[in-house]
Amino acid sequence: MSYLVLARKWRPSTFEEVVGQAHVTRTLANAIESGRVGHAYLFSGPRGVGKTTTARLLAKALNCPNAKGAVPCNACDVCREITIGVSLDVIEIDGASNRGIDEIRNLRENVKYAPTGGKYKVYVVDEVHMLTDAAFNALLKTLEEPPPHVKFILATTAPLKVPETILSRCQRFEFVRIPTRDVSARLKDICSAEGFKVKDDVLILLSRRANGSLRDAESMLDQLISAGLEEAPELDVAQLLGLSGAESFFSVIDAVKAKDARKALEALGALFDKGANLDEFADGLMEHLRNLLLIKIHPNLASLVEASTGHVKRYEEQAKQFSEGDILRLINIASRASFYVRRGAMPRLHLEMAIVEMAYLDSTTQLSELIDRLERLEVSLSGRSDAPGQVDGPGRAAMRPGRSEASATPAGEAEGTTGKTTPPAQAEEPGRTIARAAAPSAEAEEPAPAIAEPTETVSTGESARAIPRSPVEDPQARGEGVTPESLEKWNLVLARITSRKKSLGVCLSVARFLGISQGRVLLGFREDKSFEQSIVEQKVNKKVFQEECTEVFKATLRVSCVKIEPDSEETPEEVSAAESGNNNAESNAGGSLKTIIEYFDGEIIEE
């Protein structure tokens, strides 16, 4: 007797032996036991999941004279003939090669004849979606009202190609891909019955490669046994089948974690030399990273990982070396590489580029840490310091609140004067810097008025000038030119921009509205808000700003940003003049920060 392949030898003989399709077999068994068997069924689903096998089992259960409910005896002549495919009452038609109208006409002529040995004539039409439109139309009437002794079972892998008129005349059953664990368990049972000694890792590899098709997995097991690799390690089996074993992915990811691009590329090159499929490697790499992500999120998700117990433990150990953010970034790189591997002219190059990018990828930085780094960078670039007595920018002394300028003057410098003492400076208010010209130590200072007039410093670019400030009772008083109407419109502009682009709205909220002058909206930014100013001054953000200002103010307005000291109150004319005189100067910190590309409030901000 000729050799019978495992896929045929171990074909299920009862509904209970069908793997992974309990929702179908249970319904059919109940229909047979209750006598409610339909006249037409449509079985749809991927290849190798049991559609044709289930159709034969249904035919056996209907025609077997010794059947007990939905369980055929598999010993009588009827069952044996159906099993080997020679029964006159079960006609299997290949829809791909018998797709014309003539074949369907012959079928219509033959359905009127009674069965020869069983109760029913069962027509199994495989790949029914391959029939022509004329053939489908010829089948409609017969399919809807067949003779009482006729049953139709249509099978297809592409149900969307079957006309709606056919679908509406059938009971449809959707066959699903068989889970990897179920395929592996079935292969293990076969190996145990046949006396094969195959490692669990190898069975998992075959099951994963089968992609839900038990027939494919059984065919690969047959090939493995024929090659004499029953007890071979996973890598040897992967090489035989042109696959990439799990060990390969562990090696590549370990090299990525160690930032060793050379070692990762060597591992990749070794796989290529052994004939590994590039598409399969890219998909396997994404699946490996998916398993790491699941286990990293929660250990209980290990049940979703399709791997042996030993590999699951290795996944747990490797997942500890990464954060969730790092794994997600690696998955994005692998996904992009997989796309180009299938569509690019040089697939190997795209994979190698992805591996190198992974190896040189920095760890994920938390947003809070990033903000702290930006703040420290702003302070260092602007030259500001909170230490008493240190210089706070060119020509200005950084004074703590309540500390006078005289207290910071060295004693020797006071003794060196010509009898004229330096008047005590007015104490600074919290958060305010009083700018004064520093007097040379060798010259006597002119007597100051009894009450020093408060001044404010407005810096635009590299220059700074001190202007008198009018005493006001309200510390939030606005400069000249800010009317209640313009302030109300500005608040409306700010709200509209925030709803449209939140990051820009946040940066504008720290600015001071100084009024409108010469077709410009004047905004003041403190020295420590140079980063926000640089964001507002970006071209794309200026466009958003101008659009909203035009909509609210009903005029074409531009934005001009200037540096101000805390609580400064300037008129629009003064600020406009200062801004226009230093239009090309960069702020102390803003110019450098424009080169920083970072995430701000969920949006990418870059210049």
Side-chain angles (χ1 to χ4, degrees):
M1 182 178 179
S2 62
Y3 174 72
L4 195 63
V5 297
L6 295 177
R8 293 181 59 189
K9 183 178 180 180
W10 289 92
R11 174 171 279 176
S13 57
T14 63
F15 284 130
E16 292 182 353
E17 294 180 5
V18 178
V19 179
Q21 312 298 340
H23 61 292
V24 176
T25 57
R26 184 172 54 250
T27 303
L28 293 175
N30 291 339
I32 294 172
E33 293 173 355
S34 62
R36 301 179 62 86
V37 180
H39 64 274
Y41 293 93
L42 177 68
F43 294 165
S44 60
R47 70 180 190 278
V49 295
K51 298 186 296 296
T52 304
T53 297
T54 304
R56 290 183 179 183
L57 293 176
L58 178 58
K60 282 184 184 180
L62 291 175
N63 286 333
C64 179
N66 303 321
K68 296 181 180 180
V71 182
C73 68
N74 289 307
C76 64
D77 293 340
V78 173
C79 291
R80 286 199 297 268
E81 289 176 355
I82 295 175
T83 299
I84 63 178
V86 297
S87 175
L88 297 177
D89 294 333
V90 179
I91 301 96
E92 296 188 24
I93 301 173
D94 179 18
S97 56
N98 300 278
R99 59 193 304 265
I101 189 173
D102 293 335
E103 287 81 2
I104 300 302
R105 284 174 179 170
N106 292 334
L107 184 150
R108 289 172 54 188
E109 292 296 327
N110 293 330
V111 295
K112 58 186 178 182
Y113 299 113
T116 59
K119 299 178 183 178
Y120 299 97
K121 291 189 72 171
V122 181
Y123 287 87
V124 180
V125 184
D126 201 6
E127 299 300 331
V128 69
H129 65 275
M130 299 294 290
L131 296 181
T132 64
D133 292 341
F136 275 126
N137 293 333
L139 184 62
L140 286 178
K141 189 62 176 178
T142 303
L143 190 64
E144 184 176 16
E145 297 178 0
H149 59 271
V150 174
K151 304 294 182 183
F152 283 99
I153 303 176
L154 312 180
T156 178
T157 56
L160 296 180
K161 295 182 180 180
V162 180
E164 291 289 342
T165 51
I166 297 294
L167 295 176
S168 64
R169 288 167 167 79
C170 303
Q171 293 185 30
R172 180 175 174 180
F173 290 89
E174 185 69 29
F175 286 67
V176 298
R177 297 185 185 276
I178 305 174
T180 300
R181 294 185 181 277
D182 293 344
V183 175
S184 177
R186 179 63 174 174
L187 294 181
K188 193 171 184 177
D189 293 340
I190 294 175
C191 290
S192 178
E194 294 286 343
F196 302 146
K197 297 180 180 179
V198 182
K199 297 182 178 180
D200 291 343
D201 293 346
V202 174
L203 296 180
I204 289 290
L205 175 64
L206 300 181
S207 303
R208 288 171 50 197
R209 182 63 179 86
N211 196 23
S213 173
L214 180 58
R215 184 177 63 213
D216 290 358
E218 291 171 339
S219 298
M220 286 187 287
L221 178 61
D222 224 339
Q223 181 180 353
L224 175 66
I225 301 303
S226 300
L229 298 177
E230 295 181 32
E231 302 181 11
E234 182 188 22
L235 287 178
D236 293 343
V237 175
Q239 181 179 357
L240 170 68
L241 301 176
L243 307 178
S244 301
E247 188 64 36
S248 304
F249 301 117
F250 281 115
S251 300
V252 170
I253 297 302
D254 284 340
V256 166
K257 180 57 182 178
K259 297 188 180 302
D260 191 344
R262 182 185 64 84
K263 185 177 180 181
L265 290 176
E266 287 177 350
L268 193 61
L271 288 174
F272 293 154
D273 294 340
K274 294 178 180 180
N277 184 274
L278 297 182
D279 295 352
E280 190 274 334
F281 177 84
D283 293 341
L285 182 60
M286 286 193 294
E287 184 177 3
H288 183 90
L289 293 171
R290 167 207 177 250
N291 295 339
L292 291 179
L293 180 62
L294 292 176
I295 293 178
K296 184 64 178 180
I297 291 175
H298 199 281
N300 290 345
L301 294 178
S303 60
L304 301 179
V305 176
E306 298 175 345
S308 63
T309 304
H311 281 165
V312 170
K313 293 181 179 179
R314 293 195 61 185
Y315 279 124
E316 293 174 350
E317 294 174 359
Q318 197 171 66
K320 295 177 182 178
Q321 304 176 26
F322 297 91
S323 66
E324 290 88 340
D326 292 334
I327 299 176
L328 286 173
R329 295 164 72 190
L330 294 178
I331 291 176
N332 286 332
I333 296 174
S335 177
R336 185 172 66 249
S338 177
F339 175 84
Y340 286 111
V341 163
R342 288 171 169 80
R343 294 166 178 80
M346 301 180 66
R348 177 171 179 174
L349 174 61
H350 290 294
L351 271 179
E352 291 173 338
M353 289 172 57
I355 293 298
V356 173
E357 185 178 357
M358 289 180 181
Y360 293 151
L361 193 65
D362 292 332
S363 299
T364 303
T365 303
Q366 298 296 330
L367 183 59
S368 58
E369 299 176 2
L370 180 60
I371 294 176
D372 291 340
R373 290 173 57 191
L374 285 176
E375 290 178 350
R376 291 195 298 268
L377 183 59
E378 282 190 273
V379 171
S380 64
L381 291 176
S382 62
R384 296 179 62 89
S385 174
D386 291 335
Q390 292 185 0
V391 176
D392 185 20
R396 297 197 300 269
M399 311 292 290
R400 289 190 178 275
R403 182 174 182 180
S404 65
E405 194 173 50
S407 63
T409 304
E413 189 175 61
E415 294 174 357
T417 61
T418 57
K420 297 181 180 180
T421 60
T422 303
Q426 184 170 341
E428 283 187 65
E429 295 179 10
R432 179 175 300 172
T433 301
I434 307 298
R436 296 176 177 82
S441 59
E443 298 181 3
E445 296 184 356
E446 295 295 332
I451 300 178
E453 183 180 6
T455 62
E456 291 287 335
T457 298
V458 175
S459 62
T460 56
E462 299 176 350
S463 63
R465 56 194 179 87
I467 63 170
R469 174 180 177 227
S470 301
V472 291
E473 296 180 359
D474 183 5
Q476 301 298 328
R478 303 292 173 176
E480 182 180 347
V482 180
T483 63
E485 181 182 0
S486 64
L487 184 58
E488 181 179 359
K489 289 184 177 181
W490 164 247
N491 291 331
L492 178 59
V493 169
L494 186 59
R496 289 168 62 97
I497 292 177
T498 302
S499 63
R500 178 176 173 181
K501 191 172 185 180
K502 190 175 181 180
S503 60
L504 179 57
V506 171
C507 293
L508 288 172
S509 65
V510 304
R512 173 167 296 170
F513 177 61
L514 301 175
I516 300 175
S517 177
Q518 300 179 359
R520 300 178 183 178
V521 176
L522 305 180
L523 300 179
F525 287 87
R526 298 199 314 266
E527 184 78 17
D528 59 342
K529 300 299 180 182
S530 57
F531 176 72
E532 288 82 353
Q533 178 181 343
S534 66
I535 299 304
V536 174
E537 291 176 339
Q538 291 177 3
K539 185 176 180 180
V540 62
N541 290 334
K542 279 187 175 182
K543 183 178 179 181
V544 174
F545 183 91
Q546 292 170 3
E547 289 174 357
E548 297 299 336
C549 285
T550 302
E551 186 70 22
V552 174
F553 287 99
K554 305 302 179 184
T556 302
L557 300 175
R558 295 181 298 167
V559 59
S560 293
C561 302
V562 296
K563 290 289 185 182
I564 62 172
E565 291 297 327
D567 296 332
S568 68
E569 309 293 342
E570 290 197 78
T571 64
E573 291 75 16
E574 292 169 330
V575 176
S576 177
E579 191 273 344
S580 60
N582 299 275
N583 191 37
N584 296 325
E586 292 185 339
S587 62
N588 293 334
S592 300
L593 288 176
K594 290 181 180 180
T595 60
I596 298 175
I597 301 176
E598 293 295 352
Y599 285 94
F600 182 83
D601 198 23
E603 298 183 69
I604 296 179
I605 300 176
E606 61 180 343
E607 182 68 3

